[in-house]
Amino acid sequence: MSPDSTGAPPPAGPGREAVTRVVLAALAVLLTAADTYVVVLALPEMMAGVGLGLDQLQRGAPIVTVFLLGYVVVLALAGRVSDVLGRQPVLVACLATFAAGSLITAGSHHLGAALVGRGLQGLGAGGLVPPTLALVADLWPADRRSVPLGLVGAAQELGSVLGPLFGAAVLAFTGWRTIFWANLGFAVALCAGLTLGTSATAGTGGDRPARRGRRRGLALAAALATVLVALLLNPPDALVDDVTLGTAFVPLAGDTTWTSPLALATMALVAALAAPVVRRRPARLAEADLPGAALVATALAGLVLTFADADPTRSAIAAGWPWMLGLSAAATAALVVRQRLARHPLVPPGAFRRPGAWGALLVNLLIGVGLVAALVDVPVFARQTRYPSSQLGAALVLVQLLVALPVGAAAGGWASRRARPALVAAAGCLTAAAGLALMSRWGEHALDGAGSSTALVLAGLGFGLAVAPVNTVLLAATGSEVHGLAGALGVLARMVGMLVGLSLLTAVGLRVFYARQTGIGTPLTLCPTTPFDCPAYVAATRASALDELRAIFAGGAGCTLVAGVLCLLLLTARSAARPDPALSRA
């Protein structure tokens, strides 16, 4: 069983305090999901704020990439550690890490500090999803958890809608740093809620007041440390110039602020806060297989850098892809060996042997391929046709799909209470495939009518519908002792599908493009008298580019259709049944 359980049979439903904890965790997932998208709008201003010009986009791109890298590499570690130490410590630690990253990013004045802050934000954001999904599985029995899983999925998808809107609103009135100061405030509030909200029920008898007092003291100390770090990053002139108070900012050695009395006191306070966490059940951490999690992180880092660090104007993969994929392959091979030799391997033997478990991972992988086709290429199609000079207009076309995603996620959770999750998941995949298939038939003027909205909404609703039932089957087909890891692998499967699928679908689309281009001839043959001003060649090239995008949509539809078929074949009632007792630990 998970550390949060007591060994008793699952209750009929959680109490109010437990529901509050899930709501706070879901809000944390929403916050961090919004942060994933908000930087896309703020990136030009952020680059200027850390000393980069707009002509240095390649140097500024890691501000986005390092967040994704942190998000991906921490998933398996956070999920497994939550299985061993409990959901609450991991949720609080990840929120604190996200808050620290927000604080550093808000106060950064050079690229290095911004990258450190964004990396910490990614680590905190990625670590929140697996324990949140596992927490739902801990608190609700298998036949009642689809609705809360749907709401958690809806919160995550809603972040993709609210993030750009929040960023646009902030940038309309103030600077980019306000985004991250707001992130800090929200994260600290949620962290305090998770820390203090359960203190009233922690412990028994006379032990409760002591626990409550310790947690409140911890929260106050953490708030004080946050204020002190904020002062160090952005020291107010009134304090620095004060004859008495200014001495706290004067370096004791060298010329760096981090040797000042205030900095040393802050570091001592942070060390005092971290000491109880470091001392807490270190022997239990051995069961989480930290080396195995590090190997997973290394393998995923190679994949992320291969596909996310590419220059899209030249190739779908990064220039150094042989080294990066070689690193991933070596780490994967080492992980296979460790799985056989470790006393407590990262993935316990037999934990994912049921078709419902590995089938859900495979379905998530294919859904990721279909989803990335829409997320990346719908705005590209809009720029090619209706909004050639408006990035905002192209983004608003995609918003129709993004708004439908959380609606579908909530509906999928509700429907899975009334029908077999496999049927709901299959219906979602088939609906999304239908939407993508309609996109594959879009003409040059498709976005001028309501038909394009139908395709976008169908795709968004379909992808959303599949979220809760697939997670429901995944958690039902695995033991409670690996629910955190199962949630992590489910998210990872979708992200790997998106990363690899983007490259594969782009390769297919490029083959179509070049095949079409070969058949249209050259400007010299089409316009022998005016080869440098040849509307026929421009029109033919544009048609080839649209054929490329339609091929990508068709490929995404095919992968999503296969995912729907696999839902019916693998996510069955038998494969999703409660796992063997031998897989559970007391």
Side-chain angles (χ1 to χ4, degrees):
M1 290 185 180
S2 73
D4 288 344
S5 25
T6 61
R16 185 176 64 180
E17 293 83 3
V19 172
T20 300
R21 193 165 22 144
V22 172
V23 169
L24 291 173
L27 289 175
V29 169
L30 188 154
L31 170 67
T32 55
D35 191 76
T36 306
Y37 294 89
V38 74
V39 175
V40 175
L41 288 177
L43 185 59
E45 287 198 19
M46 288 186 68
M47 290 173 57
V50 298
L52 297 178
L54 292 179
D55 58 341
Q56 296 176 292
L57 183 60
Q58 283 302 107
R59 289 191 62 197
I63 294 175
V64 177
T65 304
V66 75
F67 180 96
L68 176 62
L69 188 63
Y71 190 102
V72 170
V73 301
V74 79
L75 281 165
L77 176 63
R80 193 68 187 110
V81 170
S82 78
D83 289 331
V84 173
L85 296 185
R87 319 303 178 198
Q88 182 86 355
V90 175
L91 287 169
V92 171
C94 289
L95 260 176
T97 302
F98 180 82
S102 300
L103 181 59
I104 294 172
T105 305
S108 61
H109 293 279
H110 55 84
L111 182 60
L115 293 180
V116 170
R118 290 293 291 162
L120 288 174
Q121 282 189 298
L123 289 171
L128 286 169
V129 180
T132 300
L133 295 176
L135 182 61
V136 171
D138 292 342
L139 297 174
W140 276 269
D143 60 342
R144 298 188 58 189
R145 65 175 63 127
S146 62
V147 172
L149 285 175
L151 294 178
V152 170
Q156 187 174 15
E157 304 300 345
L158 187 60
S160 64
V161 181
L162 296 182
L165 296 178
F166 172 67
V170 169
L171 293 174
F173 296 100
T174 183
W176 65 271
R177 298 182 191 277
T178 303
I179 293 171
F180 298 99
W181 289 121
N183 281 343
L184 172 63
F186 291 140
V188 169
L190 290 170
C191 198
L194 282 169
T195 302
L196 300 177
T198 57
S199 62
T201 56
T204 56
D207 161 358
R208 289 184 181 177
R211 282 178 178 263
R212 189 182 302 118
R214 284 196 298 270
R215 294 197 179 197
R216 287 177 177 171
L218 178 65
L220 290 174
L224 176 59
T226 301
V227 172
L228 293 178
V229 174
L231 289 175
L232 287 168
L233 290 172
N234 284 284
D237 293 337
L239 291 179
V240 175
D241 297 336
D242 188 274
V243 175
T244 303
L245 299 178
T247 58
F249 295 89
V250 177
L252 299 177
D255 58 356
T256 175
T257 308
W258 295 100
T259 63
S260 66
L262 182 62
L264 295 176
T266 302
M267 287 186 276
L269 178 59
V270 171
L273 287 170
V277 179
V278 174
R279 292 197 305 265
R280 185 179 182 182
R281 293 180 284 182
R284 294 294 306 278
L285 280 175
E287 300 178 33
D289 189 18
L290 301 186
L295 289 172
V296 171
T298 303
L300 291 170
L303 276 178
V304 170
L305 293 175
T306 296
F307 297 107
D309 203 34
D311 181 356
T313 63
R314 298 182 180 180
S315 172
I317 57 178
W321 67 266
W323 297 102
M324 298 171 189
L325 290 183
L327 177 66
S328 292
T332 302
L335 178 64
V336 171
V337 173
R338 179 163 182 84
Q339 276 290 120
R340 295 179 177 275
L341 301 180
R343 181 180 179 185
H344 299 288
L346 179 68
V347 181
F352 291 86
R353 71 183 181 189
R354 290 183 175 272
W358 58 264
L361 299 181
L362 183 56
V363 167
N364 266 335
L365 182 78
L366 292 169
I367 287 175
V369 178
L371 182 59
V372 78
L375 294 180
V376 172
D377 290 294
V378 165
V380 175
F381 188 95
R383 289 294 297 271
Q384 289 276 354
T385 56
R386 191 174 184 184
Y387 301 101
S389 59
S390 174
Q391 184 65 41
L392 177 60
L396 290 176
V397 173
L398 182 62
V399 164
Q400 298 173 78
L401 182 149
L402 295 178
V403 169
L405 266 170
V407 176
W414 177 84
S416 296
R417 283 288 304 274
R418 290 154 179 80
R420 288 171 51 195
L423 295 177
V424 179
C429 290
L430 296 178
T431 302
L436 287 169
L438 290 174
M439 294 179 202
S440 71
R441 300 177 63 84
W442 276 353
E444 188 171 344
H445 301 288
L447 300 183
D448 296 338
S452 62
S453 297
T454 301
L456 291 165
V457 171
L458 278 176
L461 286 175
F463 286 123
L465 274 172
V467 170
V470 173
N471 284 333
T472 298
V473 173
L474 175 61
L475 294 171
T478 53
S480 59
E481 79 285 355
V482 293
H483 275 161
L485 180 63
L489 294 181
V491 177
L492 275 176
R494 181 171 295 200
M495 296 198 71
V496 169
M498 293 177 70
L499 288 169
V500 178
L502 177 61
S503 178
L504 294 177
L505 291 177
T506 301
V508 171
L510 285 174
R511 284 181 64 88
V512 171
F513 175 81
Y514 289 126
R516 300 290 189 275
Q517 284 294 97
T518 302
I520 67 174
T522 66
L524 201 57
T525 58
L526 293 174
C527 306
T529 58
T530 58
F532 295 104
D533 182 18
C534 185
Y537 182 80
V538 172
T541 300
R542 187 176 182 181
S544 298
L546 294 183
D547 284 341
E548 174 188 353
L549 294 173
R550 284 190 282 263
I552 292 174
F553 291 140
C559 289
T560 311
L561 178 63
V562 173
V565 174
L566 292 180
C567 287
L568 297 175
L569 295 177
L570 300 177
L571 309 190
T572 60
R574 177 176 295 181
S575 69
R578 186 166 294 179
D580 297 338
L583 293 178
S584 300
R585 295 197 314 269

